[in-house]
Amino acid sequence: MYSKIQFVVNAVSLTTVALVCLGISHSSAAQPPRLLLTSESTISQLKSSTTFTDIAGVSGETEIRQLAALGVLESTSGQFKPQAPITRGQFVAWLVKTYNQLHKEPITIPENTSSAFPDVASSDPHFTFIQAVYNAGFLAGFDDGNFRPDDLLTREQMIALKTTLDSTGRDNRSPATLRNFIGKTKGFTDVEEISERYLSHIALDLGNAASGRNFTRVYGITTRIYAPQKAVTRAEAAVLLSRFRKGGTVEQALKRRNR
């Protein structure tokens, strides 16, 4: 009789453990889902952390799954849409959520505050994250005082926003000198298309290891077309956010969580 009872107890215990390991749900950045990682953590283990059905084999699959496991990404449809463009508001929300999970001193999320941008209502789903970046003093809106949360994020905007969170420095050379550096030294053929307001951030990112060299990590070391006005895809944004210069990687954050 004792043997039979013990067998049932063991079976129930094993079932409970299995359910705990697999029962990962999408939740807020403040209470992200837990993912049990081992020293052999691979993409096969991360597959149980999301319900995305459209990312298998795409570039950035690992980073997308890791960000979902960290609690940054959520889905109500089961699809991530990796090749779809991302808006400025959505990107800033991912940016702040990821930053706060990777750094000891997070960006403060404001409560009951008025908007710094006339085109970002407090009812906007990304309002608190946009306001948080502004309050923290990071590059956010445009010279006209607006943020344009529903505009598609461009490559030059993405790099500028991310670089300001990676390094406090900037390249203060003249616009002409910066274009010469980006064009002749780094070999980009479309340097004249880069907006002047982002030149210093782009030059810093390309030429200083302290910036994180984000563009190269996302688009490769051999590309010579910056395409600064091109819309950023959701998968590209995920790859970019998988690493911060001071905060480390999302993979490291997941491992720390379960020590």
Side-chain angles (χ1 to χ4, degrees), residues 12 38 43 47 50 63 67 92 99 102 108 117 122 125 160 164-166 168 175 179 207 223 226 255:
V12 172
T38 68
I43 193 171
K47 286 182 178 178
T50 73
E63 290 84 355
L67 284 170
V92 167
Y99 183 95
L102 269 59
T108 301
F117 302 102
S122 59
T164 59
L165 271 68
D166 276 324
T168 56
R179 290 190 193 279
T223 181
Y226 203 97
K255 290 180 179 179

Side-chain angles (χ1 to χ4, degrees), residues 114-147:
S114 59
S115 177
F117 302 102
D119 62 339
V120 182
S122 59
S123 59
D124 188 290
H126 308 124
F127 163 72
T128 55
F129 300 105
I130 295 170
Q131 189 65 36
V133 170
Y134 174 84
N135 290 348
F138 296 113
L139 179 70
F142 293 91
D143 290 336
D144 64 2
N146 291 313
F147 182 82

